[in-house]
Amino acid sequence: MHLSKAIVRTEHASRYLQQLCKHWSHKFSVDFDPQKGRVPFSDTAEVTFAADDAALTMTLSVADPSQQERMQHVIDDHLKRFAFREELDIVWTD
């Protein structure tokens, strides 16, 4: 599996984690609470979330490295829609 991680500074990490997980729970078997969440997009791709008072940490795991950039974009796009009131700096690292 290929991992990438983004640590997004925000005071609203738990809110965004829960919004993202609730949103994707209509399509995927999501597991979450206010501090952590997991969204299995498929057998070969999943994202986990961890929230604290200062940041939302997102860890993406993909089997096929060619999926990585597309999945990062999907996650970023959804997060930005929920966080439209603030400007987030989302930087993924391998």
Side-chain angles (χ1 to χ4, degrees):
M1 294 298 260
H2 299 272
L3 295 176
S4 56
K5 181 186 277 191
I7 300 172
V8 182
R9 299 281 167 213
T10 177
E11 294 177 0
H12 307 290
S14 179
R15 178 191 312 162
Y16 299 148
L17 177 157
Q18 293 176 73
Q19 286 178 307
L20 288 164
C21 289
K22 285 177 188 174
H23 173 76
W24 279 316
S25 70
H26 300 288
K27 286 187 172 183
F28 307 107
S29 181
V30 172
D31 179 34
F32 72 98
D33 63 33
Q35 286 78 41
K36 62 186 178 343
R38 178 180 167 269
V39 180
F41 293 114
S42 68
D43 290 340
T44 61
E46 78 170 31
V47 65
T48 59
F49 300 102
D52 61 30
D53 293 339
L56 175 64
T57 300
M58 306 183 295
T59 305
L60 175 65
S61 174
V62 295
D64 181 355
S66 68
Q67 292 181 303
Q68 193 168 28
E69 187 175 328
R70 183 178 70 80
M71 292 304 301
Q72 288 171 349
H73 178 72
V74 167
I75 296 164
D76 292 356
D77 184 57
H78 281 77
L79 176 57
K80 287 176 183 176
R81 278 192 261 158
F82 290 121
F84 65 92
R85 289 181 184 92
E86 64 180 307
E87 186 73 29
L88 298 179
D89 185 25
I90 306 171
V91 178
W92 291 90
T93 57
D94 295 335

